C-alpha cells in the first residue's frame, strides 16, 4: 500500500491538477483526466485500466474503509489525504464520495491505428455526433459489459474521458479501447476498407435487429438523439431497427446500444 501524504492546505502545489474541477472540465487538463467514486477507482487500480494513474486524493474519513482498495495501488503512487473542508476547497464543490484520482491520457491513437489494431473478428461501436456525456458514458459501459472491441467516436462527439462520462461508464471508459477523431464519412470509409459491415441504427431501419446475422467484422453506428444519423450515412449502410410498441419509436441511444450489443453478442 502506498504511503499516505496528509495535506494541511488546499493551496498545496502538489495537488494543483485537482483545483476547480468543474471549470477545468470545460477547458481540459493538459493530458490528465479525473476519476471519482469507489467503483471507478476500483477499475482505475485494476489491471484492466488502460491508463496510468498520476495520484489519488482521499478524504481522511474514507481512508480506513478504502484500505483494501488502496492496497491494490502501486507503492510509488502519491496518495494525498485531506479533511473534507480542505478537499472541498481544492475541488470547488462538495465531494461527497470523498475520493478522486488523476489519470494520464498518454498518446492518443489515431483512427487508422485503432482500426488497424482490431482482431480479424471484431465488433465496434461508432457513436456519431453524440454530445451528451451521460450517453457517451452509457455507451462505454455497454461496450465494456458486452465485450466490444473498440468504440470509435467522431470528433463531434464528446470525450469519453470527460469526468462525468467516466463516472456514468462506471470505469468502462478506462477499459474499452477508443479513438475520437475526424468526421463520420472518414470513419466509415476506413471501416469499409477494413472489411466491416456497417449497421446503422434508426427507428426507420429496413431490417429488424433480431433478424440480423452478425458478420465477422461488424460496426454498430449510432446517431444523436433527435436528429439521428444523416440520410447520407443511412444510404450507404445497412439500416437496422429495434421494434417497439406502436405509437412510440424512441429509445435512449445508450439503451439502444446495450440492446444491440447484447443481440449481436449473444443472439
Amino acid at each position: 500500500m502506498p504511503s499516505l501524504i496528509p495535506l494541511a492546505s488546499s493551496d498545496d502545489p502538489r495537488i494543483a491538477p485537482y483545483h476547480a474541477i468543474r471549470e477545468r472540465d470545460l477547458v481540459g487538463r493538459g493530458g490528465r483526466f479525473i476519476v471519482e467514486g469507489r467503483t471507478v477507482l476500483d477499475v482505475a487500480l485494476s489491471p484492466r485500466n488502460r491508463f496510468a494513474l498520476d495520484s489519488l486524493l482521499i478524504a481522511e474519513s474514507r481512508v480506513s474503509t478504502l484500505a483494501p482498495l488502496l492496497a491494490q495501488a502501486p507503492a510509488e503512487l502519491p496518495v494525498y489525504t485531506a479533511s473534507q473542508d480542505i478537499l472541498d476547497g481544492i475541488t470547488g464543490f462538495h465531494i461527497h464520495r470523498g475520493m478522486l484520482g488523476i489519470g494520464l491520457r498518454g498518446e492518443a491513437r489515431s483512427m487508422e491505428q485503432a482500426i488497424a489494431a482490431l482482431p480479424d473478428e471484431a465488433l465496434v461501436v461508432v457513436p456519431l455526433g453524440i454530445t451528451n456525456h451521460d450517453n457517451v458514458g452509457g455507451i462505454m459501459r455497454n461496450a465494456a459489459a458486452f465485450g466490444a472491441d473498440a468504440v470509435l467516436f467522431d470528433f463531434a462527439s464528446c470525450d469519453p474521458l470527460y469526468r462525468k462520462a467516466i463516472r456514468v461508464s462506471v470505469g468502462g471508459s478506462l477499459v474499452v479501447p477508443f479513438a475520437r477523431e475526424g468526421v463520420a464519412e472518414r470513419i466509415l470509409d476506413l471501416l469499409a476498407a477494413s472489411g466491416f459491415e456497417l449497421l446503422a441504427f434508426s427507428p426507420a431501419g429496413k431490417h429488424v435487429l433480431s433478424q440480423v446475422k452478425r458478420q465477422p467484422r461488424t460496426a454498430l453506428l449510432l446517431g444523436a438523439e433527435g436528429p439521428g444519423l444523416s440520410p447520407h450515412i443511412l444510404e450507404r449502410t445497412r439500416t437496422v431497427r429495434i421494434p417497439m410498441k406502436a405509437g412510440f419509436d424512441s429509445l435512449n441511444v445508450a439503451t439502444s446500444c446495450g440492446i444491440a450489443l447484447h443481440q449481436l453478442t449473444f443472439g
Side-chain angles (χ1 to χ4, degrees):
M1 179 172 169
S3 299
L4 303 180
I5 306 169
L7 299 172
S9 168
S10 61
D11 296 325
D12 192 309
R14 293 173 295 180
I15 41 84
Y18 292 95
H19 278 279
I21 284 178
R22 282 178 172 161
E23 290 79 3
R24 295 176 73 177
D25 278 345
L26 303 178
V27 299
R29 294 185 172 81
R32 295 180 173 89
F33 59 89
I34 291 285
V35 297
E36 62 179 310
R38 180 163 190 153
T39 303
V40 175
L41 194 57
D42 183 57
V43 175
L45 290 172
S46 76
R48 297 173 292 167
N49 182 15
R50 300 172 50 246
F51 301 92
L53 284 177
D54 186 58
S55 66
L56 300 178
L57 176 59
I58 309 293
E60 292 172 346
S61 60
R62 301 300 304 275
V63 169
S64 60
T65 58
L66 291 176
L69 189 62
L70 295 176
Q72 304 176 46
E76 67 276 10
L77 182 70
V79 179
Y80 301 102
T81 64
S83 68
Q84 189 67 54
D85 287 344
I86 291 177
L87 187 62
D88 294 347
I90 293 167
T91 60
F93 62 101
H94 180 65
I95 298 291
H96 66 276
R97 295 176 180 86
M99 59 196 85
L100 297 167
I102 295 287
L104 301 175
R105 289 176 176 270
E107 184 176 353
R109 289 193 299 179
S110 69
M111 193 63 64
E112 289 89 343
Q113 290 171 326
I115 293 174
L118 292 168
D120 291 339
E121 293 191 11
L123 174 61
V124 300
V125 182
V126 187
L128 301 173
I130 308 291
T131 58
N132 181 285
H133 300 106
D134 294 277
N135 285 335
V136 166
I139 289 168
M140 294 300 290
R141 180 174 185 171
N142 290 326
F146 296 114
D149 295 284
V151 182
L152 308 175
F153 296 90
D154 63 352
F155 198 69
S157 296
C158 72
D159 186 355
L161 291 182
Y162 180 85
R163 179 174 61 94
K164 188 176 183 183
I166 296 175
R167 187 175 74 239
V168 173
S169 81
V170 294
S173 292
L174 308 179
V175 173
V176 181
F178 68 84
R180 177 173 170 261
E181 181 187 69
V183 298
E185 291 294 341
R186 174 61 174 157
I187 298 171
L188 268 57
D189 288 344
L190 291 169
L191 288 168
S194 297
F196 278 84
E197 180 179 37
L198 306 177
L199 301 181
F201 274 70
S202 166
K206 295 179 181 178
H207 303 273
V208 175
L209 173 62
S210 61
Q211 298 173 354
V212 172
K213 182 179 179 180
R214 174 179 163 183
Q215 299 302 306
R217 303 196 113 192
T218 298
L220 169 63
L221 278 58
L222 304 168
E225 293 184 33
L229 296 167
S230 72
H232 184 61
I233 289 176
L234 295 175
E235 287 172 4
R236 63 175 293 187
T237 57
R238 185 180 183 188
T239 60
V240 180
R241 72 181 186 276
I242 299 171
M244 284 169 265
K245 185 176 180 179
F248 199 84
D249 65 353
S250 176
L251 276 176
N252 170 268
V253 65
T255 301
S256 299
C257 173
I259 294 170
L261 286 175
H262 182 274
Q263 176 65 33
L264 294 172
T265 302
F266 300 110

